[in-house]
């Protein structure tokens, strides 16, 4: 399990193992993706840039046949047939290349896996595997706002002014009073309350603030459901009307604590069905955890390791979910260019299907203690992607 914060500042909840994970050092799956079947000699698909498409999408495909005697054709098939179609179904080779256009059925169900095969009149064949995901929604920014809210120089003040500069980019800030354990807290943090009010009050925005909730302690293991529920109720009582949901840190990745998180999820939704619940396993958990949160942080860690993450290494269940059901929290992305590599060329790709992003140049130890130096460029990049234009230069 992963502990995203807690010991990254001063809270005494986590032991050394939690420090490593809590600062973003999640257990990361880096197994190479399962290779496509070896094609028969003489025909090969020119592999497309991405093999994840939305219902109704289309993609040009081509195969190279070598050798390709005169009158050679390639016949394309889609299986199951209801997943989509190709046009033309049979294409003659020109200089050894035959092309078609794949169209995904508008009724194809998200999460569906299908194959496109090509067979030449020479007998050679090859196939591609495709996945269907929901039509992607706009990117959002998820900020671990684990910083002091007092004073005009607080990062909370920067959050507020920058939200006014990019009102169309939804920012969800994770507030973290008292390390996510409020069982004995009797008063609200007045500075935080003021900061939340200002942040959510920016005209034209739809920003949210969710409360950080610790679900495990490095020294004593799991925090009881009763104590977690008390913390949730304390947030609601101490910050009335200010909290839009909860961030459950320390979420497991296997089935051992699944019922625990399902129970907490149900408890939160009974308090308010509109509450957003984000769970943080920090890596891909068992698929059933997608039912214990509205969004899962499927990667929390450093920027270099993020480049090796691939859901097609055993976690294609993510394609049954909206991109907003996945988040990433990346630290140690030293430069603005590194940030753009993580957001533009990784998280925003259909293959990753990730709709909530955060990248910082800060490194393990205190990665969430302040906003990144390129904070405005991060917002500008997300805004540009949402509007289909080139991101701003660094």
């Amino acid at each position: 399990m992963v502990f995203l914060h807690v010991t990254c500042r001063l809270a005494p909840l986590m032991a050394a193992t939690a420090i490593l994970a809590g600062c973003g050092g999640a257990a990361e799956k880096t197994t190479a993706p399962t290779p496509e079947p070896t094609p028969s000699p003489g025909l090969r698909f020119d592999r497309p840039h991405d093999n994840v498409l939305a219902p109704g999408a289309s993609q040009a495909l081509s195969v190279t046949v070598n050798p390709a005697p005169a009158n050679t054709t390639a016949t394309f098939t889609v299986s199951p047939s209801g997943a989509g179609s190709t046009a033309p179904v049979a294409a003659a080779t020109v200089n050894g290349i035959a092309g078609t256009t794949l169209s995904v059925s508008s009724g194809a169900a998200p999460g569906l896996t299908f194959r496109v095969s090509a067979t030449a009149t020479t007998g050679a064949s090859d196939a591609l595997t495709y996945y269907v995901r929901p039509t992607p929604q706009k990117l959002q920014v998820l900020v671990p706002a684990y910083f002091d809210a007092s004073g005009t120089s607080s990062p909370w003040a920067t959050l507020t002014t920058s939200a006014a500069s990019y009102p169309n980019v939804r920012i969800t800030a994770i507030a973290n009073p008292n390390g996510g354990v409020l069982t004995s807290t009797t008063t609200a943090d007045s500075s935080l309350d003021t900061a939340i009010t200002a942040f959510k009050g920016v005209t034209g925005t739809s920003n949210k603030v969710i409360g950080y909730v610790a679900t495990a302690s490095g020294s004593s293991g799991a925090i009881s459901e009763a104590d977690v529920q008390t913390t949730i109720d304390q947030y609601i009582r101490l910050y009335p009307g200010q909290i839009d949901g909860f961030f459950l840190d320390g979420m497991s990745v296997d089935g051992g604590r699944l019922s625990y998180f399902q129970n907490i999820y149900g408890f939160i939704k009974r308090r308010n069905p509109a509450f957003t619940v984000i769970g943080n396993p920090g890596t891909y958990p068992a698929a059933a955890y997608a039912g214990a949160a509205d969004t899962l942080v499927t990667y929390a860690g450093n920027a270099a390791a993020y480049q090796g993450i691939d859901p097609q290494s055993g976690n294609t269940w993510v394609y049954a979910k909206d991109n907003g059901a996945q988040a990433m929290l990346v630290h140690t992305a030293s430069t603005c260019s590194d940030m753009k590599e993580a957001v533009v060329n990784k998280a925003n790709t259909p293959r990753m299907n990730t709709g909530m992003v955060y990248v910082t140049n800060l490194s393990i130890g205190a990665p969430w203690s302040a906003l990144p130096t390129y904070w405005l460029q991060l917002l500008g990049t997300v805004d540009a992607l949402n509007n289909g234009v080139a991101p701003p230069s660094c």
Side-chain angles (χ1 to χ4, degrees):
M1 64 182 67
V2 176
F3 303 94
L4 175 63
H5 163 65
V6 189
T7 48
C8 294
R9 294 193 304 165
L10 299 176
L13 290 174
M14 299 298 175
T17 54
I19 294 175
L20 292 176
C23 299
E28 298 146 1
K29 296 189 178 182
T30 56
T31 306
T34 303
E36 296 286 351
T38 302
S40 302
L43 184 150
R44 184 170 182 84
F45 267 107
D46 299 317
R47 260 52 186 174
H49 177 69
D50 217 314
N51 65 338
V52 182
L53 300 173
S58 61
Q59 185 182 77
L61 294 176
S62 64
V63 295
T64 299
V65 182
N66 187 17
N71 300 319
T72 296
T73 62
T75 300
F76 300 91
T77 57
V78 177
S79 179
S81 58
S85 60
T86 59
V89 172
T93 58
V94 177
N95 297 323
I97 298 174
T100 190
T101 297
L102 166 67
S103 297
V104 181
S105 170
S106 59
L112 174 69
T113 302
F114 68 93
R115 292 173 66 80
V116 179
S117 302
T119 303
T121 49
T122 60
S125 63
D126 193 9
L128 297 173
T129 299
Y130 276 88
Y131 304 92
V132 180
R133 68 162 179 165
T135 301
Q137 306 301 308
K138 289 184 176 181
L139 286 181
Q140 302 178 40
V141 177
L142 176 66
V143 181
Y146 303 168
F147 20 76
D148 184 9
S150 61
T152 57
S153 61
S154 167
W156 274 98
T158 303
L159 275 178
T160 299
T161 57
S162 58
S165 299
Y166 291 96
N168 294 323
V169 176
R170 170 173 282 182
I171 303 170
T172 296
I174 309 168
N176 186 13
N178 205 46
V181 178
L182 276 61
T183 50
S184 60
T185 302
T186 58
T187 59
D189 180 331
S190 59
S191 295
L192 179 60
D193 187 65
T194 299
I196 292 173
T197 299
F199 173 65
K200 293 182 63 176
V202 177
T203 302
T205 65
S206 57
N207 297 325
K208 293 184 176 182
V209 174
I210 60 177
Y212 177 95
V213 177
T215 66
S217 164
S219 60
S220 59
I223 297 174
S224 71
E225 285 184 36
D227 283 348
V228 169
Q229 291 173 359
T230 297
T231 289
I232 290 166
D233 280 340
Q234 286 287 76
Y235 268 113
I236 296 170
R237 182 181 70 83
L238 296 174
Y239 303 92
Q242 298 284 61
I243 300 298
D244 301 297
F246 298 93
F247 182 86
L248 305 179
D249 201 11
M251 181 173 272
S252 302
V253 299
D254 57 25
R257 294 179 74 203
L258 177 59
S259 62
Y260 171 95
F261 287 101
Q262 289 174 328
N263 292 342
I264 293 171
Y265 181 72
F267 176 83
I268 293 171
K269 292 298 185 176
R270 287 192 296 274
R271 287 293 183 265
N272 187 340
F275 278 151
T276 296
V277 181
I278 299 180
N280 179 40
T283 187
Y284 294 107
Y289 277 89
D294 301 312
T295 298
L296 292 171
V297 178
T298 51
Y299 183 81
N302 70 70
Y306 185 53
Q307 294 303 314
I309 300 301
D310 186 354
Q312 291 182 25
S313 299
N315 295 287
T316 55
W317 56 266
V318 300
Y319 299 135
K321 311 294 289 184
D322 286 332
N323 62 333
Q326 275 200 95
M328 61 82 135
L329 299 171
V330 169
H331 62 69
T332 324
S334 301
T335 67
C336 174
S337 295
D338 293 335
M339 173 273 292
K340 291 173 70 174
E341 181 67 24
V343 174
V344 179
N345 297 327
K346 189 68 175 178
N348 191 52
T349 62
R351 191 180 190 103
M352 293 303 292
N353 194 41
T354 301
M356 299 189 79
V357 301
Y358 184 74
V359 185
T360 181
N361 59 293
L362 300 180
S363 58
I364 193 166
W368 326 122
S369 60
L371 292 170
T373 55
Y374 41 67
W375 168 243
L376 285 177
Q377 288 97 328
L378 172 58
L379 290 182
T381 296
V382 170
D383 188 55
L385 292 172
N386 286 343
N387 288 287
V389 299
S393 59
C394 290

